[in-house]
Amino acid sequence: MSATLELRPVLYWYRGSVWASVPLLALSEMSYRPDAVELREVDLTKGENFTPDFLKINPQGTLPTLAVGDHTFTSTADVLSFVVHHARNPPPPGQAPTHFVPRLHSYALDPNFLLLSARDEDELRDRSQGWSGAFVRGRQEGLIRNLALLDRAHPARQLLETKLRENGVLDALYFGPVPSSTLSTSEPAPSPTSAPSPVAVPAPVRAAFFQRSRDAWAALASFLSSDLEEVLPSSSANAGPFVDDCGKRPGVEDFHLVAWLSRIVHAAGGNKTPEGLDRVAEKCGCPIGPKVRTYWDAWLQRQSFRDVYLNGLH
């Protein structure tokens, strides 16, 4: 870490957050001391990012968040920029097009939605019975709990009310009764007995959710098979697979990309093996190109990746 940095930063993160993995990878790759940055975990599955105390730090309730004295950085790009700027061995400027990283964070390629998405009733049942269902239900309960702590004049109240409505639709899709006209051959997942039973989501809303999910996976297929293959370099004896530094070592774009790709593999049901991309190919219905496979394999070998994803992909 740069000797000019006098205050110890505090990084708010969660082990299941796709974008909180970005600065964690950078901290490891750029050889920060283990005690250089204080890590404080914020459990998204309990809605801890919407507690009044955390909203004082980041009014949007997002992760990662970095606090350095009186300064707070609340976007992934800004947090990473700070980490890179104060590193002893920062990576060189990126080589990817300027629109590349914003695309990874875009609505069309949103890795968080892909993890929650379902293209039909059977996929929806599977999601509700796994991590996605537990996350949606825990987030809903956390929002209700934290909203009750805010008075009507609190500046964060509108944000939490909006989040409660948006997450409530997912909660009802996952756990509410299925309209008889949309029933599949499989039984829907029962609603947990510890929480109020959601109302049924109208069939048109269900259909729109399924369509958005299909569109999202189709957009992902196009990006993986075409755009990403064009951005990644061709590995050779003089160049590696990474986007930055002639492919020799990971840089800013790579930290965003591998965190995004790890979430995609996880959303497709894959794991941290070369075969994880096969699950993505099956889900998308498209082949995974050789550059993407080489890139994934290279990250699997790095200690930073092994440390951040010690307990599995997320």
Side-chain angles (χ1 to χ4, degrees):
M1 176 179 287
S2 170
T4 61
L5 189 59
E6 298 178 355
L7 297 174
R8 187 187 186 200
V10 178
L11 177 62
Y12 296 88
W13 70 294
Y14 177 60
R15 67 188 68 252
S17 166
V18 53
W19 298 126
S21 300
V22 172
L24 293 177
L25 289 162
L27 288 169
S28 179
E29 285 288 338
M30 289 182 279
S31 304
Y32 272 73
R33 300 189 312 270
D35 63 345
V37 176
E38 179 183 351
L39 301 181
R40 295 184 186 175
E41 191 165 16
V42 179
D43 194 337
L44 299 181
T45 66
K46 298 179 180 178
E48 290 180 356
N49 53 318
F50 296 121
T51 62
D53 286 344
F54 186 74
L55 291 173
K56 291 177 183 177
I57 300 169
N58 180 353
Q60 297 304 310
T62 57
L63 297 180
T65 292
L66 186 72
V68 188
D70 295 332
H71 299 280
T72 305
F73 304 89
T74 59
S75 75
T76 305
D78 289 343
V79 172
L80 180 59
S81 178
F82 181 94
V83 171
V84 169
H85 178 73
H86 292 281
R88 293 186 183 279
N89 59 336
Q95 305 297 315
T98 56
H99 67 271
F100 177 67
V101 169
R103 282 198 68 187
L104 300 177
H105 292 259
S106 68
Y107 177 89
L109 297 175
D110 180 7
N112 288 317
F113 176 73
L114 287 165
L115 184 60
L116 302 175
S117 68
R119 296 172 294 184
D120 54 38
E121 294 290 350
D122 289 336
E123 284 192 3
L124 186 63
R125 182 196 67 248
D126 292 341
R127 290 290 196 212
S128 70
Q129 294 176 341
W131 185 92
S132 298
F135 169 76
V136 168
R137 176 46 57 93
R139 178 181 168 95
Q140 189 74 357
E141 293 176 342
L143 283 163
I144 293 172
R145 183 169 56 252
N146 290 312
L147 191 58
L149 300 175
L150 305 180
D151 60 50
R152 292 194 173 277
H154 196 284
R157 189 171 184 87
Q158 183 176 359
L159 171 69
L160 265 62
E161 288 175 342
T162 299
K163 295 293 185 182
L164 183 65
R165 288 193 298 270
E166 294 172 348
N167 194 77
V169 174
L170 275 174
D171 189 67
L173 280 165
Y174 276 26
F175 300 114
V178 181
S180 58
S181 61
T182 64
L183 281 172
S184 67
T185 55
S186 303
E187 290 297 322
S191 177
T193 56
S194 60
S197 299
V199 298
V201 176
V205 177
R206 300 180 78 85
F209 176 74
F210 293 148
Q211 185 60 55
R212 185 194 167 189
S213 298
R214 289 190 289 269
D215 291 344
W217 284 98
L220 174 65
S222 175
F223 178 77
L224 287 173
S225 61
S226 178
D227 299 25
L228 187 53
E229 279 288 306
E230 293 178 5
V231 168
L232 293 175
S234 298
S235 297
S236 66
N238 298 319
F242 302 109
V243 177
D244 292 327
D245 197 17
C246 297
K248 296 177 183 178
R249 64 168 176 159
V252 170
E253 284 90 351
D254 293 293
F255 301 137
H256 287 271
L257 176 55
V258 75
W260 176 88
L261 186 58
S262 296
R263 168 56 59 87
I264 298 304
V265 174
H266 177 53
N271 52 29
K272 51 181 180 178
T273 64
E275 293 73 30
L277 289 177
D278 294 336
R279 297 301 301 271
V280 179
E282 294 171 6
K283 189 91 170 181
C284 290
C286 73
I288 303 297
K291 291 183 182 179
V292 176
R293 289 189 177 278
T294 298
Y295 186 82
W296 180 244
D297 289 347
W299 269 108
L300 291 176
Q301 306 306 314
R302 299 191 74 83
Q303 189 61 48
S304 61
F305 184 91
R306 294 175 177 176
D307 290 343
V308 172
Y309 297 100
L310 178 64
N311 297 316
L313 300 179
H314 50 257

